[in-house]
C-alpha cells in the first residue's frame, strides 16, 4: 500500500533544524508502517513490535515517539490539516474569507496527492476507528490540534479588527466541516472525486456551518 507524503513546510525563519527533520522523518516512517499494518491486519492484529519491525526501528525508538500503536498514525492524519492550512495561508489578506476557505478546502481535498494516496489511507483508518476507541481518540486529538493551529491563519485573513470570537468560531466550523465530510465519506464507497466526494461534502458542511457568521457575510 502506498502511504501519503504529508505537506512539507518550505524553508524559512521557522524552518526545522536537521535534527528535527530527522526526528520527523522517523516518525513518518513509523506512521506509514502503522497504516500499512492496520490496513493488512487491523489494529487488533497489529502490535507495536510489528510496527517497529516494519519501520526498521527498535521498539524503544517507537516508544520514544509514540505512547501506543494507535498514536503512531497521528503524523499522517495531521498531514491533511497541515496541507489545507498552508493553502489557506497562501490567500492574500483582503480576499473574501468565505471564498478563501472554500478554495483552500477544495484544493486540499482534490489535489493529486490527496486523491491518489491520502484519502484512501484516511478512509481505511476511519473505518478501523469505528471499532477502536483509542484510534478514534487520536483522530479527535488531531482535529483539535488542527483547529488551534488554524486560528492565527484565519485571524490574519480576517484582519486586525476581526472579533476574536468570530475567528475562533470560523476555525472550529472549518475544522469540523472537513472532519464530518471525511467521516461520512469513509463510511461509503463513494469515489474520491465528484458527487459524494470529501471535497463536495466538506464545502456543503462549511456553507451550512458558517452561513450566518458575521465575518463571512
Amino acid at each position: 500500500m502506498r502511504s501519503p507524503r504529508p505537506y512539507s513546510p518550505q524553508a524559512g525563519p521557522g524552518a526545522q533544524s536537521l535534527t528535527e527533520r530527522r526526528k520527523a522523518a522517523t516518525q513518518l516512517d513509523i506512521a506509514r508502517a502503522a497504516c500499512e499494518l492496520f490496513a493488512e491486519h487491523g489494529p487488533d492484529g497489529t502490535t507495536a513490535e510489528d510496527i517497529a519491525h516494519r519501520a526498521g526501528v527498535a521498539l524503544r525508538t517507537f516508544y520514544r515517539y509514540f505512547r501506543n500503536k494507535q498514536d503512531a498514525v497521528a503524523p499522517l492524519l495531521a498531514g491533511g490539516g497541515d496541507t489545507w492550512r498552508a493553502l489557506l495561508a497562501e490567500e492574500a489578506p483582503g480576499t473574501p474569507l468565505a471564498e478563501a476557505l472554500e478554495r483552500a478546502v477544495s484544493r486540499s481535498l482534490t489535489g493529486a496527492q490527496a486523491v491518489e494516496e491520502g484519502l484512501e489511507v484516511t478512509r481505511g483508518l476511519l473505518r478501523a476507528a469505528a471499532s477502536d476507541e483509542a484510534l478514534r481518540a487520536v483522530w479527535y486529538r488531531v482535529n483539535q490540534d488542527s483547529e488551534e493551529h488554524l486560528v492565527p491563519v484565519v485571524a490574519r485573513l480576517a484582519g486586525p479588527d476581526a472579533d476574536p470570537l468570530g475567528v475562533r468560531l470560523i476555525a472550529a466550523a472549518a475544522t469540523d466541516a472537513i472532519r464530518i465530510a471525511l467521516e461520512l465519506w469513509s463510511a461509503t464507497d463513494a469515489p474520491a472525486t465528484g458527487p459524494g466526494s470529501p471535497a463536495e461534502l466538506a464545502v456543503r458542511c462549511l456553507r451550512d456551518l458558517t452561513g450566518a457568521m458575521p465575518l463571512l457575510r
Side-chain angles (χ1 to χ4, degrees):
M1 182 188 75
R2 299 174 67 195
S3 297
R5 298 180 297 274
Y7 165 75
S8 297
Q10 298 298 314
Q16 293 178 315
S17 68
L18 178 59
T19 299
E20 290 171 332
R21 291 198 299 273
R22 286 175 174 167
K23 288 181 179 178
T26 299
Q27 288 178 310
L28 287 174
D29 286 342
I30 295 171
R32 291 185 182 107
C35 288
E36 291 170 2
L37 288 167
F38 286 173
E40 294 169 11
H41 308 294
D44 288 343
T46 301
T47 66
E49 290 87 348
D50 295 332
I51 297 170
H53 180 73
R54 177 69 65 91
V57 301
L59 184 59
R60 65 178 179 275
T61 300
F62 175 93
Y63 283 116
R64 185 182 306 155
Y65 296 115
F66 303 108
R67 293 171 297 178
N68 54 52
K69 61 187 179 182
Q70 290 90 346
D71 196 41
V73 304
L76 286 179
L77 290 176
D82 293 343
T83 298
W84 107 260
R85 288 194 308 275
L87 291 170
L88 184 62
E90 291 177 0
E91 297 284 344
T95 302
L97 193 49
E99 176 185 319
L101 287 166
E102 286 192 17
R103 182 161 46 239
V105 167
S106 294
R107 288 176 65 195
S108 69
L109 294 173
T110 57
Q113 182 176 311
V115 171
E116 294 172 9
E117 300 178 334
L119 289 176
E120 288 302 334
V121 171
T122 299
R123 172 144 58 186
L125 288 173
L126 289 179
R127 286 181 173 179
S131 58
D132 192 297
E133 184 177 348
L135 198 53
R136 287 198 304 277
V138 173
W139 171 242
Y140 293 138
R141 189 184 77 239
V142 164
N143 278 274
Q144 179 62 42
D145 290 345
S146 183
E147 177 186 325
E148 292 175 2
H149 293 314
L150 182 59
V151 170
V153 180
V154 173
R156 183 184 69 86
L157 292 173
D161 297 327
D163 175 18
L165 175 60
V167 169
R168 288 294 304 272
L169 287 174
I170 289 172
T175 301
D176 277 345
I178 297 175
R179 178 184 61 80
I180 292 167
L182 287 170
E183 290 173 353
L184 290 173
W185 174 77
S186 71
T188 73
D189 293 320
T193 59
S197 67
E200 182 198 52
L201 292 171
V203 169
R204 285 174 55 193
C205 290
L206 185 64
R207 290 174 179 174
D208 286 347
L209 288 170
T210 63
M213 291 186 180
L215 282 179
L216 298 184
R217 289 174 186 165

